[in-house]
Structures are given as structure tokens and as C-alpha cells.
Amino acid sequence: MINIILELNKLLDYGLKNKLIQQTDYYYTANRLIDLLKLTEFQELEIPTDYDFYKVMDNILQYAYEQGIIESDSMLYKDLFDSAIMDCLMPRPSEVNQTFWSLYLNDPKEATDYYYNLSQKSNYIRVDRTSKNISWKTPTEYGELDITINVSKPEKDPRDIAKARNVPKTGYPKCVLCRENEGFSGNLNHPSRHNHRIISLKLNNENWYLQYSPYVYYNEHCIVLCENHVPMKINTDTFKRLLDFVDLFPHYFIGSNADLPIVGGSILSHDHFQGGRYEFAMMKQGFKEKFTIKDYSEVEAGIVNWPMSAIRLISANKEDVIKLSERILALWKAYSDPKAGIYAHTDNTPHNTITPITRKINNRYEMTLVLRNNRTTPEHPLGLFHPHSEHHHIKKENIGLIEVMGLAVLPARLKEEIPLIKQALLTDENFSSDSDLHKHQAWLETLRNKYDTFSEDTIDWIIKKEIGEVFKDILAQCGVFKDTESFMRFINLI
């Protein structure tokens, strides 16, 4: 039987040790917790020092289910309730902002360190889940590509899916990125954000907000969201906001997904950026071809040595970087090159846009503009500059900002499929045509033709290497220019 008072003592101790609460907050927090759990009393107990936070939370959630406080023991119901539990230990948004900006005055890194630690210790970033993501690096001629199989997003229980149909749709918050999510209790169709706190920013003299991604695909993976629920839009203001951000946080990069379907991210309805403290393979690559631009002698410019079509501008002159980025965007949005399969429009539908990425290195701004086109064809109905069908067994989803920079976010199904692929290669078996794994059969044949033998000692290395090679090929398929000569036809217009 669960001793709920003992578990609450452990949780309060966790809050004190991790500076979520102070000693003066102890009984206030305890009373909030007993109210949430419908208890009538509380007492301090001696606790072991080696308790596990996640086990404590599991015990509290199990107690809540057994007492009928939550109606299901599914992960979704538990997630909705455990964020309410952690909110009892959280400072108010105004306190978080005050602490953040006080630390910022000394060092921006101190401020983000505080906020990132808070986001983890409050269980907003579920470290126990994100640590289960399967990740590795694949060496290529473009540097080491990052590969991750995302298993941290929980799959919905079929019972919850059925119940969710009956939950009234209110339209509040309008999406998971809206600022109104801060403290929102959530429901079966919308994640709880009880323990969510956001940081207020000014970018381009507008109100924006900083938060961390709960799924953390890379170190300090942050999201910067617009105050208003307005669609993604790449324009001059975008470049100004990105450069303002790296002025505020020069230890972070920041970028934006493209603003068109297929080549954009999963959320186009709310303008936002993504950033963090990580150096992707693309960022480490130098120029493949440099060029000069008249009247911009202070700007170092060139084509990046990268499988996608990327232009990089480097300068200490902020205004020059903004103006040149604006010029390149305008030229690209109107650019067609039938020889390269590039058409700016189909009737009145635009196809060209940009994925911009910004850093500040040694007081110089670095703006990388990745050219995108979302045209579809009968042969490639999901997108001409999109993962082609021969690679859909590994990834068919959009190539967004994170992938553009060199990190493949692969579907969770591969966690179960890869061991079966390895076994098929080791035993020289095939996948039957009625098997869900038959989608990998052509790839199996390719690997058998490429390698003489497979063994327990080499199979893991081979599969990881070849998945990385598939991702590299996908990036090349998403590149709008397949050679420097065709790329220079556009460059010469700048």
C-alpha cells in the first residue's frame, strides 16, 4: 500500500533540493498538494536520501488513480495530473521572469542555465523520456550527421482517443504554441501546461516569448514564439527578429522553419522560431564557392558545402546582413529555372521560400539562407524537393529546420523495426509482401549487394551508417540546385 504522506515528503524534499521552493514555501506547498490529492492532513516524516524522483511521481499517480482522483491509469491522464502536481512546486511566471533577467544582467548563459534547469527539474522536460531517444552520429563528407529515433512523444491510448472525441472543442488555447498555454490544465486533446513557464522578450520591438521544447531534440532546444496567433511568414521582420535574438543570446543559434507546406514545419499556424546551444553539421561546414556582392564589401558570402542549397552571409554589419537577406529572399521567391525543375509559381500558388538560420560568432553575424521549393509532380506527389519514395521506409515526413541543419528526427516505429532488419540481414531472410516490413525489402537487397557479409560484430555499425547515408541522400533530394553551375545562375542575380 502506498504511503502517500511519505511520498509527498519526498516530493517536497526534491523541491527544496532543486530550488523549486524555499523553506518558507514548505507548508504552503504541502497544503496545495494535499488539497490536490483530497487529503485532510499532513505531517513531516523522516525520508530516505536515495529516493528516485520518477518513482515518487509514479507512486503519487498510482495513489491518485486508486482513489478515483484520476479516472484512468493511461499515460495521458497521468501526464495531465502530474503537471498539476509539479505546478504546486513552481514559482509564478513573474518570479521566473524576474530571476531570469536578474541573472541575465551578469551573464546571458547564467539566465538560460537557470531556466533550462527549471524546465527539467519541474518535469516540463521529461528527462526520463527524452533520455530514451536513440541517437548516433554518421560520418560523411559533410561532417557528422546526427540521427535520432524519437521515442519520447507518448503514443495515445486507444481508450483516450475514443474519449477525446467527446471533449468539447473550445479553441482555447488556439494551438500548443500560444502564450495562453502557460498554466493551462489541458485535456484529452491538448497537453497540460500547468508547470509551463515562459520568458518575455522583445524582438524587433515586438513581444515574443522564450520556452524550451519538452522533447529536446538537441542541447537546450528552445522555441521562441510570437505573442499573437499569426501564421508563419518569412520576411524582412523575420531577419530582424533572428538577429535581435542572437544579440540577446549570443551563445544560442536561432532559425525558422519555412512558411510553406511540405518544406515547412509541423505548425505553420503560429509564427515561431527554434534555437538552442548546439552546433549542427551544417554550421561546421565552410564555403564550397565564395562570391562577392557589389556595394557589400563588408559581407563575406558564399555557397555552403552542404547537400541542400544554402547561401551564407557573414558580417559585423547587422543592417547589411538584413538587407542582403531581404534581397535574396525577394529574388528567390520570384525565381524560376526550368533546367533545374524550379518554378516560382503554379498559377497563383507560390513555391519558393527560405529556411533561415542565424548565429553570432566573434561579434559577427552569420545568416544561412537555405533555399526551398515545395512543388509537387506526378512522379513525386509529396514533393519534388522532399524525401523521395525510395526513402519513405526510413523517413517520409517533412524536412524542417532541424533536419536542414543535419539532424534526422526519425519515426518511433524504427525502434522496433531495426532489430528485425538486422535479423533479416544476419539470417539472409526476406520480408513477405504482406508484411508491414516489406517496405524495407528493396533496401535489404541494396545492402546485400553492397556488403559481402554481415555479422553480429558489424551489423549495428552497418545499419547506423546506412541510415545516415539515407538521410544524407534525402538532404540532397531536398536541395533545389543539384550542382554549383545551376546554383550560380541564381547567385549571379544577387
Side-chain angles (χ1 to χ4, degrees):
M1 187 173 181
I2 296 169
N3 184 339
I4 188 62
I5 300 300
L6 178 62
E7 298 306 314
L8 292 183
N9 271 265
K10 294 175 186 176
L11 183 60
L12 287 160
D13 182 69
Y14 172 87
L16 289 169
K17 286 180 176 176
N18 289 283
K19 300 180 180 179
L20 297 175
I21 60 172
Q22 299 178 36
Q23 192 62 49
T24 50
D25 302 318
Y26 188 87
Y27 277 102
Y28 171 81
T29 307
N31 287 328
R32 292 194 65 198
L33 288 167
I34 67 171
D35 181 61
L36 188 65
L37 290 160
K38 303 187 185 306
L39 299 167
T40 58
E41 59 182 3
F42 174 81
Q43 60 178 316
E44 288 190 61
L45 299 176
E46 187 174 336
I47 60 172
T49 58
D50 59 347
Y51 63 85
D52 177 78
F53 166 71
Y54 297 107
K55 181 64 177 174
V56 171
M57 290 299 291
D58 286 344
N59 286 340
I60 296 173
L61 292 168
Q62 184 62 29
Y63 173 87
Y65 171 63
E66 290 174 356
Q67 298 299 313
I69 299 169
I70 55 177
E71 65 177 86
S72 169
D73 63 347
S74 71
M75 185 177 290
L76 180 52
Y77 272 93
K78 287 181 176 180
D79 284 357
L80 289 170
F81 194 69
D82 78 1
S83 66
I85 293 170
M86 291 308 299
D87 186 44
C88 295
L89 281 74
M90 290 290 290
R92 290 179 179 273
S94 58
E95 295 170 320
V96 174
N97 274 266
Q98 183 178 17
T99 301
F100 180 92
W101 289 111
S102 295
L103 292 169
Y104 180 91
L105 293 175
N106 185 55
D107 186 345
K109 290 180 183 178
E110 283 187 30
T112 54
D113 284 349
Y114 154 76
Y115 183 44
Y116 191 59
N117 182 67
L118 176 70
S119 300
Q120 291 180 310
K121 298 304 182 183
S122 66
N123 211 31
Y124 173 71
I125 297 174
R126 298 178 184 272
V127 177
D128 60 325
R129 296 181 190 171
T130 59
S131 63
K132 294 176 183 177
N133 286 343
I134 301 166
S135 302
W136 69 89
K137 293 179 182 289
T138 298
T140 72
E141 65 268 38
Y142 300 106
E144 289 188 322
L145 300 182
D146 290 298
I147 313 294
T148 185
I149 298 173
N150 171 38
V151 297
S152 61
K153 283 188 179 181
E155 294 186 8
K156 284 192 175 182
D157 187 304
R159 297 170 295 174
D160 297 336
I161 294 172
K163 291 177 183 176
R165 297 192 189 103
N166 299 319
V167 175
K169 290 180 170 57
T170 66
Y172 178 88
K174 292 179 181 176
C175 78
V176 294
L177 292 182
C178 286
R179 61 173 296 198
E180 291 84 1
N181 281 279
E182 189 175 33
F184 185 63
S185 61
N187 54 55
L188 294 179
N189 290 315
H190 196 105
S192 172
R193 292 292 184 257
H194 270 299
N195 54 341
H196 183 39
R197 301 293 184 266
I198 58 178
I199 302 298
S200 301
L201 306 174
K202 283 287 186 183
L203 302 179
N204 193 32
N205 295 315
E206 303 160 348
N207 292 329
W208 286 69
Y209 299 90
L210 171 69
Q211 67 177 61
Y212 287 106
S213 167
Y215 304 112
V216 193
Y217 292 133
Y218 51 85
N219 187 45
E220 297 182 42
H221 178 183
C222 67
I223 300 171
V224 181
L225 53 102
C226 182
E227 178 179 39
N228 301 312
H229 182 77
V230 294
M232 297 284 292
K233 186 69 176 175
I234 305 296
N235 55 25
T236 303
D237 286 335
T238 304
F239 305 131
K240 292 178 179 178
R241 295 164 187 149
L242 295 178
L243 293 172
D244 278 358
F245 182 87
V246 295
D247 276 340
L248 283 171
F249 306 104
H251 57 298
Y252 276 8
F253 81 88
I254 190 167
S256 174
N257 268 305
D259 55 354
L260 293 179
I262 298 176
V263 295
S266 57
I267 301 177
L268 293 175
S269 61
H270 194 124
D271 205 2
H272 68 284
F273 311 130
Q274 294 184 74
R277 198 189 305 197
Y278 191 71
E279 188 174 31
F280 292 86
M282 188 194 73
M283 297 172 178
K284 298 176 184 179
Q285 291 299 296
F287 292 117
K288 177 169 63 175
E289 185 88 13
K290 296 185 74 171
F291 55 85
T292 58
I293 303 170
K294 186 181 179 182
D295 299 327
Y296 288 93
S297 59
E298 295 183 23
V299 179
E300 187 179 358
I303 298 171
V304 182
N305 182 34
W306 191 242
M308 293 188 71
S309 307
I311 297 169
R312 182 168 294 156
L313 310 174
I314 304 174
S315 178
N317 189 318
K318 188 175 183 178
E319 288 305 311
D320 278 359
V321 173
I322 293 169
K323 289 176 182 176
L324 262 180
S325 299
E326 181 182 22
R327 182 197 292 187
I328 291 168
L329 174 63
L331 287 169
W332 174 242
K333 288 175 75 171
Y335 184 78
S336 293
D337 183 349
K339 290 182 181 179
I342 298 168
Y343 293 90
H345 295 85
T346 299
D347 297 326
N348 294 320
T349 302
H351 294 308
N352 290 351
T353 186
I354 279 176
T355 300
I357 301 122
T358 306
R359 296 195 299 170
K360 193 173 185 181
I361 308 294
N362 297 324
N363 292 317
R364 301 175 78 204
Y365 300 98
E366 178 183 290
M367 178 75 77
T368 302
L369 306 170
V370 185
L371 308 182
R372 312 299 302 274
N373 178 288
N374 76 343
R375 191 167 71 89
T376 61
T377 67
E379 183 182 1
H380 301 290
L382 296 183
L384 176 59
F385 304 105
H386 179 84
H388 290 180
S389 58
E390 69 268 22
H391 295 322
H392 287 178
H393 66 107
I394 298 295
K395 183 174 179 67
K396 67 184 295 186
E397 298 81 12
N398 291 356
I399 299 301
L401 170 68
I402 295 172
E403 287 88 0
V404 164
M405 296 183 291
L407 191 160
V409 181
L410 302 182
R413 61 176 170 81
L414 288 175
K415 179 184 178 182
E416 308 299 330
E417 293 175 0
I418 286 175
L420 299 173
I421 294 169
K422 290 178 182 178
Q423 186 63 27
L425 290 170
L426 289 169
T427 57
D428 201 28
E429 295 176 357
N430 294 317
F431 297 127
S432 62
S433 58
D434 60 348
S435 167
D436 187 49
L437 294 171
H438 187 71
K439 58 181 176 281
H440 296 294
Q441 184 60 40
W443 190 48
L444 287 186
E445 297 303 325
T446 299
L447 296 181
R448 285 170 179 152
N449 291 331
K450 185 172 181 178
Y451 296 92
D452 294 332
T453 60
F454 301 96
S455 71
E456 294 285 356
D457 293 333
T458 63
I459 191 67
D460 188 60
W461 173 82
I462 288 172
I463 291 298
K464 287 181 176 179
K465 176 181 182 298
E466 293 301 325
I467 289 177
E469 290 292 325
V470 167
F471 178 52
K472 182 187 75 174
D473 197 40
I474 285 173
L475 292 179
Q477 290 173 348
C478 296
V480 293
F481 294 113
K482 307 305 182 187
D483 56 70
T484 303
E485 180 183 355
S486 58
F487 203 157
M488 289 304 297
R489 289 198 294 269
F490 173 71
I491 296 297
N492 290 334
L493 298 175
I494 299 173

